[in-house]
Amino acid sequence: MEAGQIQNHAGGYVFQVTPWTRLGRFLVLGSDKGTYYQHAPALTKENAVCVSECYGLDPNKTAETICEISESGRAPKNDHAIFALALGAIHPNVQARQASYAAKPRVCRTGYHQFLWAAYCEFLGKGTGRGYKRAAASFYNTRDTDDLAYQMVKYRQREGFTHKRLIELSNQGPLSNDELRKNLFRWARGKEVYEKLPEIVEGHIEAMSLEPRESKRLVNLITNYKLPWEAIPTWAMTSPDVWDALIPTTGLTALIRNLGNITASGALTSQNYEKVTERLLNEYALDKARIHPFNVLQALAVYGSGKGLKGKKTWLPVRQVTEALDEAFYKCFKYAEPTGKRKLIALDVSGSMGSPIGSPRKDKAGRYTIRNENPLTCREAAAAMCLVGLKTEKYVDVVGFSHGPLTGSGSSGRWGDMSRAGLIPLDISPKDRLDKTVTTLRNQRFGATDCSLPFRWAQQEKKEYDSIEVWTDNETWSGHIHPKEALRDYRRFMGLNTKLIVCGMTATDCSIADPNDPGMMDVAGLDSAVPTLIADFIRK
């Protein structure tokens, strides 16, 4: 073991990343799914310690990092940024608490974010104090009446919290003599209202009073008041006419999540798909809604399967919608100019990359638990990210590596040797669709991890690369040579200053990249800015 190395959870020796690097990984990747070698609760605890450490080192830098990743839409979920803010709210350093509270309006932009922040604070033991109450109240006193009314009908309750509870907890009032705003606060607190309410609230109240035989009236209300789907009765969610009315005004995130429900209702067919595909392919709308490419990838996997992850609902996928999702995936990335450099993309296909990407949910006992609600694994997400690199650059080779025999096209010669060692070429083309790429990865046989294989293969084949990307969970342990040494040997043998980019798929505290080597870089694998970050690093 060299100086600066630590033993990871798989027993191998890797380099420990800085707290700031790990903070970025956590905000992008989270820790809710755990890894092949480490359970989620332990991983969450380790990341919580890291976030607290960053607050102690520099409260303002920590808060700004949280805001930047949240506002730019670089992470698939905003939940991890909100959890990081809650950790700041309980920090013993007063500057850390102040920085956390000051950052909250930039991170908690919706009613759901407000409720989740309050739930995380409560879970961590924070629920009193002037700073906390001011931060909770800021959600209500920084919005105009119409925007606040929309948030109140769209997000009525989440995570055990309601607007009534938070308004009363924070001692928040309307802060205005405007009767419409006063009535909105009275309605939110369950008080009797004698005067006029904001139009969207009146539309919501009437909609909730309707019965199935009054669906035509409901459609009119949705159209006239632009009601979100959360503001209408649950019985209406199977009506094709209702979904047809919701498609133009439903938030893009909600639209993507509900494509299966819309198709199952009969509102979406191969004859009337235009309204949906037009919204999916609108780059401005995708950017404004902060749609993360990974969420599109997840929607593509679920929608293409023709059935929901829970329940018995099924549908016949509309080909045009599937193709639009595939195209939208690439539109969600920050654009990167081609570098013209020679690149090797090496995908870890070992067993540890098979961990599903899950989500934290609160159970009936109030505990945060993990549910496997995602059909994708780290391995498949890495394959999808690989496609972005293939579409950006011209000179790219792709291999999959593990340890031990893998299926491959080569059965003799050098390829046969490397196949038996655990490395094979992958049949992935920039013209491939995402679903084909995912299938290619699923068809491999998986074993342990030897991250030195890509460098050893490149040297054996005398392949010249300006950069090598390794997509891995960093849990490397098998093999007889450390990845750092294998890269050093390759550089010396080829006479190249090849750069290494390690794209970590888990929020662990380790990496195979040497932090003291300026030719190596760590990035979080699901960051939507990855193509640009890699391209800029290669050009340096």
Side-chain angles (χ1 to χ4, degrees), residues 212-264:
R213 59 184 174 82
E214 300 173 287
S215 59
K216 288 186 178 181
R217 175 57 183 162
L218 179 58
V219 168
N220 290 333
L221 290 174
I222 292 171
T223 303
N224 294 336
Y225 296 108
K226 294 181 172 53
L227 295 177
W229 69 272
E230 296 94 340
I232 64 177
T234 54
W235 60 258
M237 304 317 295
T238 58
S239 168
D241 293 335
V242 169
W243 272 116
D244 189 62
L246 286 169
I247 288 173
T249 56
T250 296
L252 198 49
T253 299
L255 180 69
I256 291 173
R257 288 177 179 171
N258 282 285
L259 286 173
N261 293 328
I262 298 172
T263 307

Side-chain angles (χ1 to χ4, degrees), residues 127-128 132-133 136 161 164-172:
T128 58
Y132 171 85
K133 291 180 179 180
F161 280 84
K164 168 182 167 62
R165 181 180 175 187
L166 281 177
I167 287 172
E168 294 178 349
L169 184 150
S170 60
N171 298 321
Q172 175 64 43

Side-chain angles (χ1 to χ4, degrees), residues 1 39 85 110 121 289 297 370 378 384 452 478 482 517:
M1 182 174 68
H39 293 299
L85 287 186
T110 70
C121 286
L297 175 63
I370 309 304
C378 293
S452 71
S478 63
H482 193 277
D517 187 333

Side-chain angles (χ1 to χ4, degrees), residues 148-340:
L148 186 57
Y150 177 82
Q151 295 294 326
M152 285 183 172
V153 300
K154 182 176 175 65
Y155 306 104
R156 286 170 284 163
Q157 59 180 10
R158 295 285 197 283
E159 306 292 336
F161 280 84
T162 63
H163 292 292
K164 168 182 167 62
R165 181 180 175 187
L166 281 177
I167 287 172
E168 294 178 349
L169 184 150
S170 60
N171 298 321
Q172 175 64 43
L175 302 181
S176 170
N177 290 323
D178 178 57
E179 288 299 323
L180 198 65
R181 192 173 182 87
K182 286 182 178 180
N183 288 334
L184 176 62
F185 273 79
R186 287 181 58 83
W187 172 78
R189 295 178 62 195
K191 305 293 184 180
E192 189 172 359
V193 179
Y194 298 98
E195 303 294 336
K196 184 177 176 62
L197 284 163
E199 287 187 349
I200 194 170
V201 177
E202 292 184 340
H204 160 64
I205 293 173
E206 182 179 353
M208 296 302 292
S209 69
L210 298 179
E211 298 179 359
R213 59 184 174 82
E214 300 173 287
S215 59
K216 288 186 178 181
R217 175 57 183 162
L218 179 58
V219 168
N220 290 333
L221 290 174
I222 292 171
T223 303
N224 294 336
Y225 296 108
K226 294 181 172 53
L227 295 177
W229 69 272
E230 296 94 340
I232 64 177
T234 54
W235 60 258
M237 304 317 295
T238 58
S239 168
D241 293 335
V242 169
W243 272 116
D244 189 62
L246 286 169
I247 288 173
T249 56
T250 296
L252 198 49
T253 299
L255 180 69
I256 291 173
R257 288 177 179 171
N258 282 285
L259 286 173
N261 293 328
I262 298 172
T263 307
S265 74
L268 183 57
T269 68
S270 57
Q271 284 74 44
N272 67 347
Y273 60 84
E274 289 88 353
K275 285 193 294 186
V276 169
T277 56
E278 182 179 351
R279 296 197 63 196
L280 292 177
L281 298 178
N282 187 321
E283 291 189 43
Y284 173 77
L286 290 168
D287 183 65
K288 184 178 180 181
R290 296 183 177 88
I291 302 298
H292 192 277
F294 182 73
N295 293 331
V296 180
L297 175 63
Q298 179 180 349
L300 180 62
V302 175
Y303 184 73
S305 71
K307 60 180 180 180
L309 294 174
K310 297 182 292 184
K312 300 180 180 179
K313 183 170 292 186
T314 61
W315 56 85
L316 181 63
V318 177
R319 175 183 56 81
Q320 292 89 343
V321 174
T322 303
E323 291 174 350
L325 283 171
D326 188 90
E327 188 175 345
F329 173 78
Y330 300 103
K331 290 181 179 291
C332 292
F333 282 97
K334 307 298 184 288
Y335 180 69
E337 289 283 349
T339 64

